[in-house]
Amino acid sequence: MPVRWHRFEPATFDVGRETVALDRSVRIGLYNAERSIIDAFRTRRSEGPELGNEALRRWLRRRGAQPAKLLAMARRFPRAEGPLRSALEILL
């Protein structure tokens, strides 16, 4: 599968971003599950809606999944919030 680059608003770069230590001297930034789901909904026009819907279904099956937390984060991403809320209403 080819790599696709997406440019997002710089102000949202750190939303949902966590730092993970690979060893004592190397740390990388990764987005948490909630942010990854939101990004899948944000790119639904280019990547297809299935990516976000499947990610959301899998996330909801995880212990500790908090839809309210996901929706709170989604408020920072207006293009994703509505479709994500609709998908949650169907799945819950």
Side-chain angles (χ1 to χ4, degrees), residues 3-60:
V3 174
R4 292 187 191 181
W5 293 99
H6 298 276
R7 181 169 167 79
F8 296 132
E9 180 65 37
T12 63
F13 182 76
D14 288 326
V15 176
R17 189 169 186 264
E18 301 170 353
T19 303
V20 178
L22 298 181
D23 61 28
R24 291 182 186 188
S25 63
V26 178
R27 300 177 70 80
I28 62 170
L30 294 176
Y31 288 115
N32 62 22
E34 292 83 2
R35 171 62 189 263
S36 297
I37 292 166
I38 291 167
D39 284 344
F41 274 84
R42 291 171 74 195
T43 59
R44 68 192 177 283
R45 287 192 179 99
S46 62
E47 304 300 321
E50 306 82 22
L51 181 66
N53 291 331
E54 182 59 27
L56 180 58
R57 274 193 288 276
R58 289 180 183 211
W59 179 79
L60 286 169

